[in-house]
């Protein structure tokens, strides 16, 4: 399979790219130093290169993210919204619009984003983050509707937060209760290929339960 991982440079991206490479798949990992996902033309160029080389894409795992928030609702800085809009929404829009045609050509394509419980249960100080995550979910569900009737699916994986080995080493006494390990997230992405597209298209998988 041909798998594109955006936001591949961090621990989560490394876990996901490592999972698919270990299982023998071709992985194209990009981070901000490789392609500016806020530049729609650059994203379209990336899709064009993959199209010419492979003719399709079998997976797009969009891992670009970030968090900003305040102590209370009244303390919300709308500059946080501007930053999160670009990170969580605009990059998703560019990537999904560019790669939807390639996903349609796959016999078993998957488009995946990682969302947060906060999208459904926002807290006062996290209004900008929760709203951006909710918008990302709505956009992905629209993509799912576009893929309906094809062999591809768009799915939302929901976490409380993610944890990796470096975080545990930095805070050995922390419980990280309810957090999802990045390796478990990678395995969850991989497991989407074991289910029919029509079964998982347009669904939210809660990895905290």
């Amino acid at each position: 399979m041909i798998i594109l991982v955006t936001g591949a440079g961090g621990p989560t991206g490394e876990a996901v790219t490592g999972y698919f490479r270990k299982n023998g798949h071709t992985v194209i990992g990009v981070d901000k130093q490789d392609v500016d996902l806020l530049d729609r033309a650059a994203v379209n160029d990336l899709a064009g290169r993959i199209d010419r080389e492979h003719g399709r894409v079998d997976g797009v795992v969009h891992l670009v993210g970030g968090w900003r928030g305040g102590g209370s609702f009244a303390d919300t800085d709308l500059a946080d919204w501007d930053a999160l809009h670009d990170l969580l929404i605009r990059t998703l829009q560019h990537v999904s619009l560019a790669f939807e045609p390639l996903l349609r050509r796959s016999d078993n394509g998957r488009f995946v984003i990682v969302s947060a419980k906060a999208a459904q249960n926002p807290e006062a100080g996290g209004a900008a983050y929760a709203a951006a995550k909710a918008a990302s979910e709505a956009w992905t569900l629209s993509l799912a509707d576009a893929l309906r009737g094809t062999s591809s699916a768009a799915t939302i994986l929901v976490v409380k937060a993610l944890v990796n080995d470096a975080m545990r080493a930095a805070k050995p006494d922390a419980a990280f209760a309810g957090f999802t390990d990045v390796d478990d997230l990678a395995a969850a992405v991989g497991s989407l290929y074991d289910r029919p597209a029509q079964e998982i298209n347009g669904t939210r998988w809660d990895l905290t339960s």
Side-chain angles (χ1 to χ4, degrees):
M1 293 192 299
I2 312 300
I3 309 294
L4 172 69
V5 180
T6 56
T12 308
E14 291 172 0
V16 173
T17 57
Y19 175 91
F20 282 103
R21 284 181 177 136
K22 180 178 66 178
N23 285 280
H25 304 297
T26 299
V27 179
I28 302 159
V30 298
D31 209 356
K32 56 185 176 182
Q33 67 267 23
D34 304 307
V35 178
D36 181 5
L37 299 182
L38 291 175
D39 182 340
R40 186 170 183 183
V43 178
N44 287 341
D45 286 346
L46 174 64
R49 291 198 301 273
I50 295 174
D51 187 8
R52 289 190 297 272
E53 292 177 13
H54 305 286
R56 71 185 196 284
V57 69
D58 302 303
V60 178
V61 187
H62 187 65
L63 299 176
V64 178
W67 187 89
R68 291 193 181 191
S72 69
F73 184 81
D75 289 335
T76 298
D77 185 347
L78 289 181
D80 290 344
W81 166 257
D82 294 337
L84 291 169
H85 172 271
D86 283 350
L87 282 171
L88 303 182
I89 304 171
R90 186 65 76 198
T91 62
L92 169 63
Q93 291 172 328
H94 288 168
V95 170
S96 58
L97 288 169
F99 284 91
E100 187 255 6
L102 278 72
L103 282 166
R104 284 180 166 274
R105 299 179 202 159
S106 172
D107 292 331
N108 196 25
R110 300 291 182 267
F111 187 99
V112 185
I113 68 164
V114 179
S115 191
K117 299 284 280 186
Q120 301 296 315
N121 297 290
E123 296 181 351
Y129 176 75
K133 280 294 189 184
S136 298
E137 289 196 14
W139 186 272
T140 302
L141 294 176
S142 293
L143 172 61
D145 189 55
L147 293 174
R148 202 174 307 280
T150 74
S151 297
S152 293
T155 306
I156 300 162
L157 300 183
V158 181
V159 302
K160 175 182 178 182
L162 294 170
V163 63
N164 57 66
D165 289 342
M167 292 168 62
R168 291 193 181 92
K171 295 183 177 180
D173 296 326
F176 297 105
F179 284 35
T180 300
D181 190 278
V182 292
D183 289 331
D184 293 333
L185 175 73
V189 174
S191 73
L192 296 175
Y193 288 91
D194 298 329
R195 295 174 179 248
Q198 64 269 22
E199 180 180 312
I200 59 170
N201 189 39
T203 60
R204 301 173 75 252
W205 280 31
D206 189 342
L207 301 185
T208 67
S209 56

